[in-house]
Amino acid sequence: MPGTKYIFVTGGVTSSLGKGIISASLATLLQARGFRVTIQKLDPYINIDPGTLNPYEHGECYVTDDGAETDLDLGHYERFLGVPTSQDNNVTTGRIYQTVINKEREGEYLGKTVQVIPHITDEIKRRIKILGETGKYDIVITEIGGTVGDIESLPYIEAVRQFNWEIGSSNHLVIHLTLLPYLATSGELKTKPTQHSVKTLLESGLQPDILVCRADRKIPREQRKKIALFCNVHTNAVIESLDAETIYDVPLLMLKEKLDSVVISKLKLSSKTEPDLTNWKHFLGILKNPTAEVKIGLVGKYVELKDAYKSIAEALIHAGVENECKVDVTWIHSEDLDESTVAQKLKGLKGILVAPGFGDRGIEGKISAVKYARENNIPFLGICLGMQCAVVEFGRNVLGLKDANSREMSPKTKHPVIDIMEDQKKVTKKGGTMRLGAYNCKLVKGTKGFSVYGTSNIAERHRHRFEFNNKYLKDYENAGMIASGINPDSNLVEIVELVDHPWFIGVQFHPEYKSTVAQPHPLFAKFIGATLKA
Ligand code: GLN
């Protein structure tokens, strides 16, 4: 697409250096200069998408408006930029191969041998170009998952090499993120792993333009010069990336290092203005100087791996800023909870959030957390499975339906108060077949749900197969659990709340996916607001 500039971000030396945060931070700076920016992630694994991956393997599965199940880095992109991503923002090797193999079966290659080069690399290039071709973006940042040198990454690096050659030198740029480890015995940051990593990139025909070097202490000028000399980059293109107190510091740290200025001059973009980060700085100012603190409990079964609840954790940070308080999250393993331990384990918490999930492990612990919150008037937010647990708990303990359950946990239950959705009954394949993406919801005036949003019509993102069983709705409403949000097209219950409770809301959707720095999500903000009053 003429006019669109492409930035590629690769990683070297080790994984988990934070390519996603660097990409999102650079995008934030460019956006704050007035450019229209989006970020795309290319993942080198063979799964079609992370929807079928266990959260222990891969962390949270992030869902877009158009129903893509994606890498959690897309969550960072949206939280930093406030711009929705889509199916085109996350591509995996599995999807690339699936497309090529389907074409082969259609006979589109006309008898040719189908190979990594050019067929797989052509498909990668096509996916890279898609976002630029929409005409919606001045700059597309493409993050390449994995670490340079991995076998799986090779076709991506080769595709980028070809792509860059095709689009001309001022239209693209490669940023390589590396690590400078500190060796206590020699008392210095070591540059050799970075040199080797750049050599590996060069072997594949890619010369990085900018090196972003992670380090736990300042990189002396001499070391920067050395890296520049050995890796063919300018000294001002050796960017220091120190460990930050919060990910939301990183855009400002990158600004200090002039990452955006180096990018702008290399891409020959015209931008006279300095980035306008007024709102961002305002957010950070409150984040770092809270006037109150509140302790809330997050009950889930993947709590050992915080990344499994990434968007919820970030939405709580945003909600804290909105309330000028620090949200101190206690992570509670649902398998550690039962009727006998719940009071002691949840003691002192001002709010309880029951997390999404699948399968019956830890489910009874979640239900006892709901009961505790309901009976003790503790503000409660149940998300997806958390909402379903609230419905089951109310059925059992208020309506007296002793074996009330979700059909997911107990297929033969007499009282399936949560049942499989009609259009899910015939679904047998697991990948990409849930109710996914944004659906409309109409809020009932006069309810807490309505007052949270302050409007009648909302759209929120979903990822589930089960639903509130409307056969029981009348009984629930008569007993004090009402449906305050309904899908206007399918009549599915989207929000339940308790009438006689200070703040008890369960949502079938995932509000956490839509909380951003610029717009903290109202459900999280009001939940934290309620905990401050509790
Ligand atoms: N397992 C439940 C369902 O499929 C809830 C899913 C979730 O929490 N995302 O309906």
Side-chain angles (χ1 to χ4, degrees):
M1 179 74 200
T4 306
K5 307 279 185 175
Y6 293 86
I7 299 174
F8 296 95
V9 179
T10 59
V13 181
T14 164
S15 58
S16 306
L17 288 180
K19 286 193 295 287
I21 300 296
I22 292 294
S23 302
S25 299
L26 172 61
T28 302
L29 296 179
L30 295 170
Q31 187 190 54
R33 283 175 175 266
F35 295 108
R36 300 169 306 157
V37 194
T38 190
I39 317 175
Q40 173 188 47
K41 174 134 194 218
L42 306 182
D43 271 313
Y45 50 74
I46 296 171
N47 303 65
I48 300 294
D49 59 44
T52 49
L53 283 174
N54 186 322
Y56 285 130
E57 290 271 317
H58 191 266
E60 164 187 286
C61 173
Y62 185 79
V63 179
T64 60
D65 277 333
D66 64 353
E69 295 178 285
T70 73
D71 186 77
L72 59 75
D73 272 335
L74 271 78
H76 292 308
Y77 308 160
E78 289 205 17
R79 287 187 280 277
F80 277 54
L81 296 182
V83 177
T85 53
S86 70
Q87 297 275 1
D88 295 329
N89 291 71
N90 195 190
V91 178
T92 66
T93 295
R95 205 176 282 286
I96 299 281
Y97 272 82
Q98 188 185 46
T99 311
V100 170
I101 291 168
N102 285 347
K103 271 194 187 167
E104 187 274 338
R105 293 288 83 182
E106 297 289 323
E108 281 192 39
Y109 295 110
L110 303 174
K112 289 256 178 247
T113 308
V114 180
Q115 295 181 295
V116 173
I117 304 172
H119 304 101
I120 295 296
T121 47
D122 278 354
E123 179 57 20
I124 296 173
K125 287 189 285 180
R126 190 182 73 80
R127 301 276 183 163
I128 292 171
K129 272 184 255 177
I130 284 177
L131 288 162
E133 283 167 352
T134 61
K136 290 199 298 198
Y137 307 106
D138 305 311
I139 302 165
V140 176
I141 300 178
T142 298
E143 177 192 340
I144 298 176
T147 308
V148 165
D150 294 349
I151 291 173
E152 294 101 333
S153 304
L154 281 173
Y156 290 106
I157 305 285
E158 167 60 13
V160 173
R161 184 195 68 76
Q162 293 174 17
F163 183 82
N164 288 352
W165 177 73
E166 284 163 16
I167 64 170
S169 66
S170 63
N171 292 325
H172 66 80
L173 182 126
V174 175
I175 298 177
H176 190 51
L177 177 62
T178 75
L179 172 73
L180 303 188
Y182 178 77
L183 269 199
T185 42
S186 59
E188 60 177 8
L189 290 166
K190 304 305 287 183
T191 65
K192 194 73 82 188
T194 297
Q195 295 176 36
H196 282 292
S197 180
V198 170
K199 282 224 173 76
T200 308
L201 255 189
L202 281 167
E203 273 168 24
S204 307
L206 267 198
Q207 165 67 53
D209 300 282
I210 298 175
L211 295 173
V212 176
C213 304
R214 287 290 305 269
D216 66 352
R217 63 203 66 215
K218 292 208 83 50
I219 307 173
R221 179 133 189 96
E222 279 315 303
Q223 301 286 82
R224 292 198 196 216
K225 275 183 157 160
K226 189 172 168 188
I227 296 168
L229 177 68
F230 279 97
C231 302
N232 303 331
V233 297
H234 291 288
T235 316
N236 73 350
V238 178
I239 305 286
E240 164 188 282
S241 172
L242 297 177
D243 299 345
E245 192 186 320
T246 148
I247 55 170
Y248 300 110
D249 272 335
V250 181
L252 295 179
L253 294 174
M254 291 300 105
L255 178 68
K256 227 164 116 199
E257 284 287 298
K258 301 198 168 50
L259 175 60
D260 57 324
S261 306
V262 179
V263 165
I264 283 184
S265 87
K266 289 213 180 282
L267 289 177
K268 299 198 170 44
L269 285 161
S270 56
S271 164
K272 289 180 202 75
T273 51
E274 280 293 298
D276 176 5
L277 291 164
T278 319
N279 294 341
W280 194 275
K281 287 181 185 160
H282 179 70
F283 173 90
L284 261 184
I286 301 176
L287 179 64
K288 294 195 168 180
N289 302 289
T291 52
E293 180 164 344
V294 71
K295 239 189 178 21
I296 75 138
L298 192 154
V299 181
K301 67 171 170 177
Y302 303 111
V303 291
E304 309 91 310
L305 183 76
K306 307 274 184 296
D307 270 1
Y309 302 110
K310 193 78 203 157
S311 293
I312 294 179
E314 298 302 322
L316 288 168
I317 292 174
H318 306 159
V321 170
E322 197 70 355
N323 288 281
E324 302 195 358
C325 76
K326 177 178 180 333
V327 179
D328 183 3
V329 180
T330 305
W331 301 80
I332 299 156
H333 205 299
S334 49
E335 284 182 297
D336 291 344
L337 293 180
D338 60 33
E339 288 279 327
S340 65
T341 57
V342 71
Q344 182 246 324
K345 297 244 180 219
L346 304 187
K347 204 170 108 200
L349 298 172
K350 298 287 180 205
I352 291 165
L353 190 156
V354 176
F358 295 84
D360 63 358
R361 183 167 68 89
I363 197 77
E364 293 302 323
K366 285 186 172 177
I367 292 171
S368 46
V370 174
K371 181 166 184 259
Y372 181 79
R374 180 177 61 77
E375 290 181 343
N376 294 285
N377 287 331
I378 299 169
F380 169 86
L381 178 59
I383 299 179
C384 208
L385 182 63
M387 170 268 199
Q388 297 176 354
C389 287
V391 171
V392 170
E393 191 279 324
F394 195 85
R396 288 184 191 170
N397 300 321
V398 179
L399 296 181
L401 309 170
K402 283 288 162 264
D403 67 345
N405 215 331
S406 162
R407 184 95 59 200
E408 181 182 8
M409 315 305 160
S410 170
K412 296 211 160 82
T413 175
K414 252 205 270 143
H415 292 294
V417 290
I418 299 294
D419 207 351
I420 182 107
M421 280 182 275
E422 200 45 48
D423 52 8
Q424 285 286 327
K425 285 184 182 160
K426 44 191 183 306
V427 173
T428 50
K429 286 194 179 155
K430 291 279 178 269
T433 55
M434 280 187 252
R435 182 183 187 224
L436 288 168
Y439 284 88
N440 292 329
C441 169
K442 202 167 166 50
L443 301 170
V444 180
K445 286 213 170 89
T447 61
K448 284 193 194 81
F450 184 91
S451 79
V452 163
Y453 286 89
T455 176
S456 297
N457 297 304
I458 58 163
E460 292 280 7
R461 300 180 193 172
H462 294 253
R463 184 172 186 249
H464 62 112
R465 296 187 199 279
F466 296 83
E467 57 162 323
F468 183 95
N469 185 344
N470 274 329
K471 281 185 207 132
Y472 292 89
L473 185 56
K474 259 210 171 72
D475 294 342
Y476 271 76
E477 295 208 317
N478 288 339
M481 180 177 267
I482 59 166
S484 50
I486 306 271
N487 179 299
D489 309 307
S490 60
N491 229 17
L492 293 181
V493 171
E494 304 284 21
I495 309 179
V496 295
E497 63 183 62
L498 289 182
V499 180
D500 291 324
H501 189 288
W503 210 94
F504 186 109
I505 294 184
V507 289
Q508 185 58 79
F509 48 79
H510 291 261
E512 68 274 21
Y513 295 144
K514 280 176 72 167
S515 187
T516 68
V517 166
Q519 279 186 311
H521 195 286
L523 261 173
F524 285 88
K526 295 282 162 54
F527 169 57
I528 294 304
T531 64
L532 285 168
K533 287 183 210 132

